[in-house]
Amino acid sequence: VKLLIPRETAPGERRVAATPETVRRLVAKGATLQVERGAGQAAGFLDADYAAVGAELWDGEACDWETADAVLCVQPPRAEVLARLQAGALLVGLLAPYGATDLVERLNDRRASAIALELLPRITRAQSMDVLSSQANIAGYKAVLLAAAALDRYVPMLMTAAGTIQPSRVLILGAGVAGLQALATARRLGGVVYVSDVRPAVKEQVESLGGRFIDPPQLEEAPAEVGGYARQASEAFLAAQRQQLADQLALADMVICTALVPGRPAPRLISEAMLDGMRPGAVVVDLAVAQGGNCFGTIPGATVERRGVLLIGADGLPSTVPNHASALYARNIAALIEHVLVEDGFRLDPEDPILDGCLFTHAGVCRRDDIVQPAGLSPIG
Ligand code: NAD
């Protein structure tokens, strides 16, 4: 089979969907890998390194999209590329499937199949393919480094000849993959870390990493979880949670926001009034900013100062650690390709528990109208 790796064209995207390591791995399985010249450059992977492990290099214009069996990407390719896919071709990437009616129409036009890695199930068998986890991990790590670099204080406790410096106080909202890595990173820097989540099950994980868990408000309609994800909280629950967090915020030096509910706007956990209670010099990094933000006033890709508090709208952090982000992303994709690869093509079995949820278009038919058609969006909670 012929696999195509395009150079990513989305603004700010520096990752690539295959590295020399995964090209070697897939070539050994009998695949032909065609890599666009310069595809890995922003992530530190050179054309010569791809060529050395058996990739064929092509120039953007000269690409034969029509003959590709699969296109492996990070973000969705350009419309003109999609228009040239052959019938039955497979597209794999972070395809932003929620409400993606245009993309689905283009794919169905070509009778192409697409796997949206956002929809991969969080089951043990799919762990090696779990792009959301590998990338969220990087985002959680980098968010703490950004906050530490912007902070007007030390993070660790220091005993110096000029006296003792108290450690910074860190508040993390959401203890999923990103939040737990943020906790671990902040602890490595020596911070005292408090963590809030609505899923009581994460308390143990937080404590095992040296964090202090803030128990969720004890309301009857507590959102709890479904399939390991948080359900959407009611407005009453969020109001109780905000009240609880207001005191924490007033003491915090660094706040890392990672709270998400799949397919829904991010819960708004920090209001304008709560920001007013924070000390000047404190820093908020909002990883949920692209989903509407956990914090009032954060803007995707921008840093704004509000009454001395720095609000960092941290969109696309994995792309700012492009070498390791690509290394992990490419391994996740290689594991998925190996899972579906058969002698003369791909076996895309919609009954396969790994593919069932994430094969969102197949041979001209959209299989996940529930998430693609915004009108059909059903509440998760
Ligand atoms: P996510 O990105 O959807 O959400 C991040 C966190 O925000 C979650 O912990 C969620 O509970 C929390 N949250 C939602 N609303 C909140 C609120 N109002 N206040 C505070 N926190 C709130 O989650 P994720 O990082 O993708 O992880 C989801 C789960 O999947 C985790 O339990 C994780 O351990 C699990 N997981 C399992 C596997 C596997 O078994 N293969 C792989 C990866 C992750």
Side-chain angles (χ1 to χ4, degrees):
V1 299
K2 185 165 137 186
L3 310 178
L4 230 71
I5 316 298
R7 192 167 51 79
E8 295 290 320
T9 50
E13 184 53 74
R14 305 184 70 200
R15 292 169 293 177
V16 60
T19 59
E21 176 195 306
T22 64
V23 166
R24 183 199 298 270
R25 179 169 153 184
L26 292 169
V27 166
K29 299 273 176 200
T32 302
L33 270 286
Q34 297 199 331
V35 179
E36 182 173 356
R37 279 187 200 283
Q41 199 169 342
F45 302 108
L46 303 179
D47 289 345
D49 299 335
Y50 286 104
V53 291
E56 297 169 13
L57 297 169
W58 48 271
D59 289 308
E61 293 306 304
C63 177
D64 211 0
W65 294 95
E66 291 83 355
T67 63
D69 296 301
V71 175
L72 312 183
C73 57
V74 181
Q75 298 200 40
R78 306 180 300 275
E80 57 270 32
V81 169
L82 293 172
R84 290 174 56 187
L85 294 179
Q86 65 170 330
L90 172 67
L91 178 65
V92 185
L94 285 167
L95 303 178
Y98 292 99
T101 45
D102 276 4
L103 176 66
V104 167
E105 205 171 298
R106 293 203 167 92
L107 290 166
N108 286 350
D109 259 5
R110 308 305 306 159
R111 298 189 59 75
S113 298
I115 293 177
L117 295 169
E118 291 93 333
L119 303 177
L120 196 88
R122 308 309 268 286
I123 55 176
T124 307
R125 277 184 60 210
Q127 244 169 349
S128 60
M129 312 163 195
D130 189 351
V131 161
L132 283 190
S133 288
S134 70
Q135 305 301 296
N137 220 307
I138 292 182
Y141 159 82
K142 189 67 185 272
V144 171
L145 297 191
L146 282 182
L151 193 64
D152 61 351
R153 292 184 166 175
Y154 272 123
V155 180
M157 184 177 106
L158 288 176
M159 286 192 248
T160 78
T164 300
I165 292 287
Q166 292 305 320
S168 280
R169 191 160 160 142
V170 180
L171 174 63
I172 294 173
L173 306 180
V177 179
L180 290 175
Q181 182 54 254
L183 161 58
T185 305
R187 290 286 299 154
R188 280 183 212 116
L189 287 177
V192 173
V193 188
Y194 289 77
V195 181
S196 165
D197 200 301
V198 289
R199 294 182 298 125
V202 297
K203 181 178 179 134
E204 206 182 300
Q205 296 167 31
V206 166
E207 288 175 349
S208 75
L209 288 167
R212 301 173 195 195
F213 189 65
I214 304 167
D215 287 307
Q218 301 301 311
L219 292 188
E220 252 179 38
E221 70 264 43
E225 62 181 277
V226 55
Y229 286 112
R231 288 167 187 259
Q232 192 180 24
S234 67
E235 201 31 61
F237 182 91
L238 288 177
Q241 203 186 357
R242 281 193 289 267
Q243 207 161 31
Q244 182 188 42
L245 292 175
D247 298 340
Q248 293 286 344
L249 279 169
L251 298 170
D253 297 301
M254 213 194 256
V255 183
I256 311 292
C257 305
T258 76
L260 288 176
V261 178
R264 301 254 116 211
R268 177 53 60 84
L269 297 171
I270 304 179
S271 66
E272 190 172 15
M274 289 161 80
L275 279 181
D276 287 344
M278 291 185 71
R279 77 161 183 85
V283 181
V284 179
V285 178
D286 195 348
L287 288 181
V289 69
Q291 286 79 23
N294 291 148
C295 178
F296 172 87
T298 52
I299 298 168
T303 298
V304 290
E305 196 183 313
R306 188 183 173 283
R307 298 194 182 174
V309 177
L310 219 52
L311 306 179
I312 301 179
D315 201 13
L317 287 191
S319 205
T320 69
V321 189
N323 185 271
H324 274 165
S326 302
L328 297 172
Y329 185 93
R331 283 183 200 160
N332 293 144
I333 285 213
L336 178 63
I337 291 296
E338 285 169 357
H339 177 69
V340 295
L341 197 62
V342 288
E343 208 162 309
D344 51 353
F346 301 114
R347 183 166 179 274
L348 298 175
D349 175 8
E351 309 264 296
D352 176 342
I354 294 179
L355 294 183
D356 180 27
C358 62
L359 182 64
F360 81 117
T361 71
H362 186 39
V365 178
C366 179
R367 299 182 61 251
R368 293 298 309 269
D369 268 334
D370 56 325
I371 57 140
V372 171
Q373 299 285 350
L377 258 181
S378 61
I380 291 164

